[in-house]
Amino acid sequence: MEVLMPEPQIYVERTLALIKPDVVNKEEEIEDLILRSGFHILQKRKLQLSPEQCSNFYAQQFGKVFFPNLTAYMSSGPVVSMVLARHCAVSYWKELLGPSNSLRARITHPHSLRALYGTDELRNGLHGSLSISSAEKEIRFMFPEAISEPVPTGQRARDYLNLYVKPTLLAGLTALCKEKPADPM
């Protein structure tokens, strides 16, 4: 009887997650929820943003009434910045976060992170990227030293695996089978 295994797929989409200053003390609890939701934390750092850095990060909000309060809030204490990865990371993270207004989230999405950890419209506890392109920009902002290369998907990913990964694995496994180490441990 032949067992059919599904062809392996590469699910790599990244998004930025920020734990905001007023809930940094719940970092471990929030990380546990993130991991249990199928995300991988690729990078993580705790940092204190200056008001200028916050202004740059939230530049698309410039000119809105809440902008000064937002930059003051985000620079009021340390934040935890994380790069999360999984299949459809941006949309799954937005779904897990719930609505940006925590008061509305408590009514419409009571199990969302913002309903659980946010306090109001401004202090919603966590940040998530709105799109794949904004995620890449935000990741570069928070992790400037990180190398961000385009990740192949679909046929390009399969071609890469067949051309580079499979031959290397085959050569390594063949060599391992031919030699018996004197002391395997």
Side-chain angles (χ1 to χ4, degrees):
M1 174 182 218
E2 186 179 326
V3 178
L4 296 176
M5 296 294 290
E7 205 171 304
Q9 297 183 23
I10 300 174
Y11 296 121
V12 182
E13 185 175 292
R14 301 178 316 157
T15 191
L16 183 80
L18 289 180
I19 300 175
K20 296 182 178 181
D22 53 333
V23 292
V24 164
N25 60 331
K26 305 275 189 188
E27 175 186 350
E28 287 182 27
E29 189 177 314
I30 293 169
E31 277 185 38
D32 184 52
L33 288 168
I34 289 169
L35 294 172
R36 284 191 289 134
S37 297
F39 289 94
H40 295 279
I41 300 173
L42 301 180
Q43 291 180 285
K44 176 181 146 183
R45 69 188 279 211
K46 188 180 270 191
L47 66 154
Q48 174 82 42
L49 296 171
S50 70
E52 293 77 25
Q53 288 171 315
C54 293
S55 294
N56 291 335
F57 185 76
Y58 287 107
Q60 76 278 9
Q61 306 294 341
F62 184 77
K64 295 188 179 171
V65 174
F66 61 85
F67 185 76
N69 290 335
L70 176 64
T71 56
Y73 163 53
M74 289 301 292
S75 60
S76 67
V79 298
V80 175
S81 179
M82 295 176 281
V83 178
L84 306 180
R86 72 166 282 169
H87 177 64
C88 298
V90 173
S91 60
Y92 278 117
W93 180 238
K94 287 194 310 190
E95 184 181 323
L96 188 60
L97 286 174
S100 59
N101 183 329
S102 296
L103 302 175
R104 188 174 329 136
R106 285 193 189 102
I107 297 165
T108 61
H109 298 77
H111 301 291
S112 69
L113 294 177
R114 287 179 172 151
L116 297 171
Y117 298 104
T119 54
D120 58 34
E121 198 170 346
L122 178 67
R123 297 176 184 273
N124 60 10
L126 296 116
H127 167 84
S129 303
L130 295 175
S131 66
I132 294 172
S133 61
S134 66
E136 290 303 320
K137 289 176 198 165
E138 292 174 355
I139 289 168
R140 278 194 301 277
F141 184 92
M142 291 292 174
F143 297 91
E145 73 288 346
I147 297 170
S148 180
E149 297 178 10
V151 176
T153 57
Q155 187 59 45
R156 287 182 53 224
R158 284 188 287 283
D159 291 345
Y160 177 82
L161 288 171
N162 289 330
L163 189 61
Y164 298 106
V165 178
K166 286 182 182 177
T168 304
L169 286 174
L170 183 61
L173 289 172
T174 302
L176 185 62
C177 290
K178 289 180 180 178
E179 281 188 39
K180 181 179 178 187
D183 182 16
M185 296 298 185

